[in-house]
Amino acid sequence: MAVGKLRNAKVIINQRAIYDNLANTKSHLEAGTDLFVVVKADGYGHGAIQVARIAEKAGASGFCVALLDEALDLRQAGFNEPILVLGITDPQFVTIARDNQISLTVSSTEWLKTAADFLTQVPSSAKLNVHLALDTGMGRIGFQTAEELKAAVQVLNDFTAVINFEGIFTHFATADSKNSDYFNYQYDNFNKLMAVLDKRPRYVHVANSATSLWHKVCGGNMIRFGIGTYGLNPSGTEIPDLPYELHPAMSVVASLIYVKLVKKGKSISYGATYTTSADEWIGTIPLGYADGIPRKLQGFSVLVDGNWCPIVGRVCMDQFMIKLPKRYAYGTPVTILGKSKDKTITADDLAQYLGTINYEVICGFSPRLRRKYE
Ligand SMILES: *Cc1c(COP(=O)(O)O)cnc(C)c1O
């Protein structure tokens, strides 16, 4: 995909914000707890490699990703820290993981047996590191019962020549909610399952950002810190209080590439859904739904020179139009996410308008948009 380096639109990443978010998080961890930064989906749209570099400086000791390919990208960029793939990897690729010292997540004994076959077929002095996922109530992946977990530990004992039992973890479904009943239910399940183990592996981890921020119960020795890295509140606006400040790292800015006066009674964009009610100054912005500006954003106000300017007419694939309070010059900055004078558009503002969560907003800006690091 061509990245738009010569266009008047970009995603700006504030590296200092990421560093501060991580350094603060690290300073709040109990001694002996490792900070693994979650850089899946290209670092939630911020650039996985760049975020990983900052994370190293801020004291992260490892990384989590969703795909084996994402882990390989980090290895190829020269990162030597532990990397855990949180999703399930097809067993046919286990030797690639082993040979690159990438840790994989395991949710079934069948997987372990198949993986052991593949590993044995291509011998190596290295072992495959695995983390067992425990499904304590997320209902996504993981062992659900003590019997299943016992069986997995048995299989691991059979294959110690090729597989190293490096970690065990669970994932909470409601750590970002005010009500902690379901969280407590999952935590009980986790403790019951952990009682099956004679010996704890190197890493025991239960905490995503929300758990690490609001629940002091972990009993783990590593956290998987994702959304907080990027400066957003995991709960959106449900739990406004954070134990320390998080600074949003992403802004999206473009500039006016065309400004014109449109006479009263004329229509704007596909479907002619907007008609000027007076003579209006209309600006065109070189961003569209192919850049991750959803069509549903019609009616939302972006910022020009500290003024709210509504998106008028439908968002096109590569352009959209806004109503300006007065004539503005070609090249005037337009803020879609971030600050303009004394006003700010947050990822939560966009999420609220779109009926989604801040995570989806920041992941949604397409790779066609250049990332600029400041
Ligand atoms: C994505 C993910 C995380 C990170 O979650 P945040 O809410 O962004 O901190 C942690 N653990 C698992 C299993 C994940 O899939």
Side-chain angles (χ1 to χ4, degrees):
M1 148 124 29
V3 177
K5 295 191 177 118
L6 310 174
R7 76 196 285 209
N8 291 326
K10 59 189 173 237
V11 174
I12 299 172
I13 307 297
N14 179 340
Q15 303 186 88
R16 179 86 218 175
I18 294 174
Y19 179 89
D20 288 347
N21 295 334
L22 290 175
N24 266 331
T25 300
K26 172 112 175 132
S27 74
H28 281 78
L29 290 179
E30 281 175 36
T33 304
D34 281 291
L35 170 61
F36 275 45
V37 174
V38 184
V39 294
K40 61 193 180 188
D42 203 23
Y44 294 40
H46 295 63
I49 304 293
Q50 289 84 350
V51 172
R53 276 194 202 115
I54 302 167
E56 268 185 340
K57 294 198 186 94
S61 44
F63 302 106
C64 296
V65 292
L67 318 178
L68 179 56
D69 304 82
E70 293 174 332
L72 287 171
D73 268 4
L74 290 173
R75 280 285 176 262
Q76 271 146 29
F79 292 95
N80 297 317
E81 291 86 349
I83 303 174
L84 170 62
V85 177
L86 297 166
I88 291 176
T89 305
D90 192 289
Q92 67 176 306
F93 303 121
V94 289
T95 56
I96 299 176
R98 176 196 63 191
D99 298 345
N100 288 281
Q101 282 300 290
I102 292 163
S103 308
L104 298 183
T105 289
V106 175
S107 286
S108 80
T109 49
E110 292 69 40
W111 190 98
L112 281 172
K113 289 177 190 162
T114 315
D117 274 350
F118 279 108
L119 293 164
T120 315
Q121 279 165 33
V122 190
S124 160
S125 57
K127 295 183 192 184
L128 174 71
N129 289 317
V130 298
H131 291 224
L132 299 186
L134 301 180
D135 183 1
T136 57
M138 175 69 184
R140 192 165 63 179
I141 56 171
F143 298 94
Q144 299 180 70
T145 65
E147 290 65 42
E148 285 172 5
L149 179 56
K150 271 182 204 151
V153 171
Q154 185 56 54
V155 174
L156 285 169
N157 286 336
D158 294 343
F159 293 116
T160 51
V162 288
I163 299 178
N164 175 42
F165 178 22
E166 184 187 47
I168 192 161
F169 72 101
T170 196
H171 191 56
F172 289 105
T174 63
D176 57 350
S177 155
K178 271 188 188 147
N179 184 324
S180 42
D181 294 348
Y182 197 76
F183 181 92
N184 293 333
Y185 158 79
Q186 279 196 258
Y187 192 56
D188 279 351
N189 287 342
F190 178 72
N191 287 331
K192 281 180 197 147
L193 287 171
M194 287 298 285
V196 165
L197 301 184
D198 297 330
K199 188 165 154 276
R200 289 160 81 95
R202 164 71 183 84
Y203 293 109
V204 177
H205 47 110
V206 303
N208 56 358
S209 299
T211 307
S212 84
L213 289 165
W214 293 307
H215 300 271
K216 288 286 165 211
V217 290
C218 309
N221 58 12
M222 181 264 255
I223 69 165
R224 309 182 301 266
F225 199 67
I227 196 76
T229 304
Y230 309 102
L232 301 184
N233 182 320
S235 78
T237 52
E238 183 173 339
I239 311 178
D241 289 334
L242 293 165
Y244 49 94
E245 263 186 73
L246 292 173
H247 305 287
M250 182 185 281
S251 327
V252 178
V253 295
S255 36
L256 290 170
I257 35 114
Y258 195 65
V259 178
K260 62 185 182 287
L261 188 69
V262 176
K263 290 286 180 196
K264 179 179 173 181
K266 296 241 188 185
S267 290
I268 306 284
S269 197
Y270 290 119
T273 60
Y274 177 83
T275 304
T276 51
S277 52
D279 291 1
E280 293 176 8
W281 285 102
I282 300 292
T284 302
I285 287 100
L287 276 173
Y289 57 77
D291 300 300
I293 306 293
R295 290 174 83 244
K296 286 213 176 76
L297 219 52
Q298 182 171 350
F300 183 83
S301 289
V302 299
L303 288 165
V304 177
D305 191 28
N307 298 295
W308 297 110
C309 301
I311 297 177
V312 292
R314 289 193 183 142
V315 173
C316 313
M317 189 184 290
D318 322 291
Q319 307 179 67
F320 68 83
M321 278 63 79
I322 60 176
K323 182 178 155 183
L324 297 165
K326 61 174 183 143
R327 184 180 183 285
Y328 273 100
Y330 172 90
T332 303
V334 181
T335 301
I336 291 89
L337 172 63
K339 272 203 169 85
S340 170
K341 291 208 161 156
D342 61 332
K343 303 202 178 62
T344 305
I345 299 171
T346 66
D348 285 304
D349 294 335
L350 286 158
Q352 195 159 25
Y353 193 85
L354 294 166
T356 181
I357 55 175
N358 56 34
Y359 293 72
E360 192 178 359
V361 168
I362 57 170
C363 290
F365 296 108
S366 99
R368 191 169 79 165
L369 269 171
R370 167 166 72 115
R371 266 60 179 172
K372 181 154 184 281
Y373 295 87
E374 290 187 343

